[in-house]
Amino acid sequence: MSRRIVLPVVAGAVVLAGAGAFALAYAGDQDPSPALAHSTARYTAPETGHKGSLSFTTEVSAPSGVKSLKVLAWPEKSGFAKESLTAKDLAAAEVDSATCTPAGGHTVRCVYTAPVSAADAASSAHGAWHIAVLATAKDGHTTFDTKAADFTLA
C-alpha cells in the first residue's frame, strides 16, 4: 500500500478512536439524579362562585427514567423558613404527587393542580409561597428542590 494512503487511514483511525473515547467518557459522566427544567407555578385566586387553583408544571429528566414527583407548596413565612425542609421530610410526608407524561427520551412533563376554595385562600398565609419538589428516578436517585417555583397569595 502506498504511503499516501496509509497515513490518512491511520490518522482517521486515531481521530475515530479519540471521538469514541470522548463519547464513552461523556456517557459515564452523566449525573444519574433527576434534573428539573422549566418549572413554573401559577396561582389563581377564587372568585365569587368559582374556585381558584394552584398549578405547578416542570420537566424532569433522568437517565433511568422518572418514577415520581412529590409536590409541596409552603409559605415563606412558615416554620420551613427557619428549619429547612429536607428531602427526608418530603419523602415521609403525605403530600400530593404530580401527574407525569412522556415528553421524549428520558424526560417527562409533570403537572400538579389543586383546587383552592375561598375558605382555603382566606385561612392561608398571604405573601410569597414556594413549591418544594422531590423527584425520584426509577433507579432510586433523587433530586430535592425547596424552591422549584414561587407564587404569591394576595
Side-chain angles (χ1 to χ4, degrees):
M1 202 186 292
S2 154
R3 193 185 221 188
R4 289 181 186 167
I5 295 173
V6 171
L7 248 39
V9 169
V10 170
V14 169
V15 168
L16 287 176
F22 175 77
L24 285 175
Y26 177 76
D29 286 346
Q30 284 186 339
D31 186 354
S33 299
L36 303 172
H38 312 295
S39 300
T40 60
R42 181 177 176 170
Y43 170 74
T44 303
E47 295 178 5
T48 305
H50 299 285
K51 285 190 175 193
S53 66
L54 169 64
S55 63
F56 171 74
T57 304
T58 192
E59 289 183 2
V60 186
S61 299
S64 67
V66 178
K67 179 180 177 183
S68 66
L69 182 76
K70 287 190 165 193
V71 179
L72 175 68
W74 61 279
E76 187 170 86
K77 295 179 182 177
S78 71
F80 292 137
K82 294 175 185 150
E83 284 188 36
S84 295
L85 180 66
T86 67
K88 191 175 182 178
D89 293 333
L90 196 53
E94 294 209 19
V95 298
D96 294 327
S97 293
T99 301
C100 301
T101 55
H106 300 290
T107 302
V108 294
R109 185 167 198 260
C110 300
V111 177
Y112 168 78
T113 304
V116 178
S117 70
D120 290 337
S123 66
S124 296
H126 287 73
W129 282 63
H130 307 289
I131 303 287
V133 296
L134 178 63
T136 304
K138 288 183 179 177
D139 65 5
H141 285 89
T142 61
T143 295
F144 176 64
D145 188 347
T146 58
K147 296 179 181 176
D150 304 310
F151 65 97
T152 302
L153 197 148

